[in-house]
Structure formats: structure tokens, C-alpha cells
């Protein structure tokens, strides 16, 4: 009963991202329609603006400023500096709304019985909702390779899986000694959901999709860390589970 493939699906199997060229093509295509005069009627009619639209407008304005100041816009260093300046202001790319400890059901009971019950309760949403699926990055890669937006529909059941898991984890009663670890667990799922939803916008909002890539990598790493933290806490208390108990998933090392 090996459920660590959930974590592996979100991480190591997609560790080597080899399709930067495709992402660049996607972004450049999406941004090309945004490189208009910010005051033009065409641009003004776009409501609400996507992050890619905002990026294109801001980039256009800052390139104009650079040109007016006499900078060489054909210089790759100038292009990189302008792009980085646009992205570094923190207002372009969306980010997931993370939970805090106040969103958890925390118990002061840190006894072995309570901790073992927690392991089963936290494992249940995974056991109940787990589906075997292709890695999300592979799905996006395949869609880009085939130039087929319809292939991104494969993300829908994965997002639903993560959402069901998240809902279940938020309902778990957590011993206070594990509150921080469980919070990291919850937020890792939140990051993966947000990233996958961003990937769904690959053809309509390239910048959001690109931003989702970093969030996905962070969420996958956070999920591994949370799994390991829970596993370590259970091990310290010498808690074990039978193969028919949901908590058994935490007895395996994350892959």
C-alpha cells in the first residue's frame, strides 16, 4: 500500500524541466498582443487585464523610458534588466492565498493516542481521494508539443483530487506539536492547486502559467517536507499502523 507516489508524481518524476523553449514561445506569443500603447482603445477595452497583459503594458512603458534615456534596446543586458525590473515589483504575478494556524483545528492533547489518531485522520484524505495520474508538468509539456490546449483538461481531475485532499486536511484535529507541520502540509496542497490552475491558462495567459511553474516546484518540495515531518513525529513516538489504516502512508519515505 504505497501512496508515496503522490509525492513522487509532484516532484522527482518531473525534476528535470527540459522545455524552456516551449514556455518561452508560449509567453512571447501571449505577450505579443499586449505590446500596444497603454493608452490605446484596444488595450483599454481589455477588462480585466491578465498578468500577461499587465506585463506587456508595463514592459512597453519601461522600454520606452529606456529608449528615451538613450539606452541600447538591442543590448541583451538592457532587455534583461528591463524585464527583471517589471517582474520584481511584486504586482504582476498572482500568488496563492496561504492558510494560517487559525484555520486549523488544533488540540492541546499531544499524547500518543491523540497523535496516532491524527496520523490516521491526516492519511484518510489521501487514501480516499488518491488517483494515479500523469505528472502535471508532463501534461503541460505534451500539450505544448502537440499545440493542443484540449490536453490541459487532464489537469481537471488532478485539481479536484488536491482540492478534496485539502478539504479533508482542514477538517483534521491536529495535536499542537504537529500544528506547524500540518499547516505546511495544507499549504503545500494549496500551492499545487494554484499551480495546476495556473497551468490551465497556458494558452490564454502565458505569464501566469510560467509563474505557476515556480509555485508548483515549491509546493512539491513543501509536500515532501511535510510528509517527512509527519513521518518523523510518528516515528519518534514509536507509532505504527496496520496496512488497513490510513496512517500507513506516513511510514514510507517520500520519493
Amino acid at each position: 500500500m504505497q501512496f508515496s507516489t503522490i509525492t513522487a508524481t509532484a516532484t522527482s518524476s518531473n525534476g528535470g524541466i527540459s522545455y524552456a523553449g516551449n514556455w518561452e514561445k508560449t509567453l512571447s506569443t501571449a505577450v505579443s498582443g499586449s505590446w500596444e500603447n497603454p493608452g490605446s482603445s484596444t488595450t483599454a477595452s481589455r477588462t480585466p487585464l491578465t498578468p500577461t497583459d499587465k506585463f506587456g503594458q508595463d514592459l512597453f512603458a519601461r522600454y520606452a523610458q529606456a529608449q528615451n534615456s538613450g539606452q541600447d534596446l538591442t543590448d541583451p543586458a538592457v532587455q534583461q534588466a528591463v524585464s527583471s525590473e517589471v517582474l520584481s515589483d511584486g504586482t504582476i504575478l498572482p500568488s496563492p492565498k496561504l492558510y494560517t494556524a487559525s484555520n486549523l483545528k488544533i488540540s492541546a492533547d499531544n499524547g500518543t493516542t491523540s497523535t496516532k489518531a491524527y496520523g490516521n485522520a491526516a492519511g484518510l484524505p489521501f487514501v480516499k481521494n488518491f488517483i494515479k495520474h500523469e505528472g502535471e508538468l508532463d501534461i503541460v509539456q505534451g500539450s505544448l508539443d502537440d499545440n493542443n490546449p484540449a490536453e490541459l483538461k487532464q489537469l481537471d481531475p488532478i485539481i479536484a483530487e488536491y482540492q478534496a485532499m485539502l478539504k479533508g486536511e482542514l477538517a483534521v484535529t491536529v495535536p499542537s506539536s504537529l500544528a506547524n507541520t500540518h499547516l505546511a502540509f495544507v499549504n503545500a496542497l494549496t500551492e499545487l492547486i494554484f499551480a495546476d490552475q495556473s497551468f490551465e491558462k497556458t494558452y490564454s495567459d502565458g505569464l501566469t502559467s510560467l509563474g505557476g511553474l515556480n509555485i508548483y516546484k515549491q509546493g512539491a518540495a513543501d509536500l515532501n517536507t511535510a510528509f517527512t515531518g509527519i513521518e518523523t513525529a510518528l516515528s519518534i513516538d514509536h507509532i505504527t499502523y496496520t496496512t488497513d489504516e490510513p496512517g500507513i502512508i506516513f511510514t514510507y519515505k517520500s520519493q
Side-chain angles (χ1 to χ4, degrees):
M1 188 172 172
Q2 173 62 281
F3 285 93
S4 61
T5 48
I6 295 173
T7 308
T9 299
T11 53
S12 58
S13 65
N14 294 306
I17 300 169
S18 61
Y19 47 83
N22 284 335
W23 281 100
E24 290 167 1
K25 178 181 178 182
T26 300
L27 178 59
S28 63
T29 299
V31 171
S32 63
S34 301
W35 279 45
E36 304 171 23
N37 186 326
S40 71
S41 59
T42 302
T43 303
S45 66
R46 293 176 181 169
T47 55
L49 295 177
T50 67
T52 301
D53 293 330
K54 295 175 184 177
F55 176 79
Q57 289 188 4
D58 203 354
L59 196 62
F60 180 94
R62 298 199 190 200
Y63 261 110
Q65 292 174 0
Q67 186 176 44
N68 290 337
S69 65
Q71 297 184 60
D72 180 7
L73 298 185
T74 65
D75 184 347
V78 172
Q79 296 172 0
Q80 180 63 40
V82 172
S83 312
S84 297
E85 184 180 356
V86 174
L87 290 175
S88 66
D89 68 5
T91 64
I92 299 293
L93 287 174
S95 59
K97 181 179 180 180
L98 301 180
Y99 291 90
T100 67
S102 64
N103 299 118
L104 302 181
K105 297 180 179 179
I106 300 175
S107 168
D109 184 356
N110 291 300
T112 301
T113 300
S114 177
T115 302
K116 180 170 184 175
Y118 161 77
N120 275 326
L124 183 59
F126 268 68
V127 174
K128 183 178 179 181
N129 297 292
F130 174 75
I131 59 174
K132 188 173 182 180
H133 57 76
E134 184 179 3
E136 293 99 300
L137 300 185
D138 292 330
I139 292 172
V140 177
Q141 173 67 75
S143 172
L144 288 169
D145 288 344
D146 299 337
N147 194 27
N148 183 4
E151 292 182 21
L152 296 180
K153 295 298 291 181
Q154 297 174 66
L155 294 171
D156 289 345
I158 301 175
I159 293 171
E161 171 195 9
Y162 289 149
Q163 288 174 328
M165 289 177 178
L166 175 61
K167 181 178 180 180
E169 297 303 339
L170 287 171
V172 170
T173 298
V174 186
S176 58
S177 61
L178 278 161
N180 288 338
T181 302
H182 191 76
L183 181 61
F185 192 16
V186 163
N187 281 329
L189 291 170
T190 302
E191 289 167 333
L192 291 175
I193 292 168
F194 183 91
D196 286 355
Q197 290 174 333
S198 297
F199 292 153
E200 290 188 311
K201 300 177 181 178
T202 296
Y203 292 88
S204 62
D205 185 3
L207 194 63
T208 290
S209 184
L210 273 176
L213 180 60
N214 286 331
I215 294 171
Y216 180 88
K217 292 166 63 179
Q218 184 64 56
D222 289 344
L223 189 62
N224 270 330
T225 299
F227 254 85
T228 300
I230 295 171
E231 178 187 49
T232 299
L234 296 173
S235 177
I236 290 174
D237 282 348
H238 305 289
I239 293 172
T240 59
Y241 298 95
T242 62
T243 56
D244 60 347
E245 291 181 294
I248 193 71
I249 69 170
F250 297 116
T251 66
Y252 294 97
K253 293 288 185 182
S254 300
Q255 300 298 316

